[in-house]
Amino acid sequence: MKINAIRAFIIASIVIILLYALGLFLPIIMTSKANSVEEGKNKITTEDPY
């Protein structure tokens, strides 16, 4: 299977789009997970544990 110029351009474009999407959504995912962990620590329970 030969890789001609058009096929190389399509593969490079797909890689660039995937890296862009990863860079766009990865910080959102990382901050949302950090916030959900911190919410559990700061939660105040009003129920009687006994």
Side-chain angles (χ1 to χ4, degrees):
M1 180 167 116
K2 288 170 113 181
I3 297 179
N4 56 7
I6 295 173
R7 188 169 292 161
F9 181 75
I10 292 172
I11 291 171
S13 300
I14 291 172
V15 169
I16 290 169
I17 291 169
L18 289 175
L19 289 174
Y20 177 77
L22 183 68
L24 187 65
F25 293 115
L26 190 63
I28 298 171
I29 294 169
M30 296 299 286
T31 56
S32 66
K33 284 186 179 179
N35 288 340
S36 64
V37 169
E38 290 174 4
E39 283 177 8
K41 291 179 183 176
N42 296 331
K43 194 177 218 181
I44 297 173
T45 55
T46 56
E47 297 175 5
D48 189 16
Y50 300 106

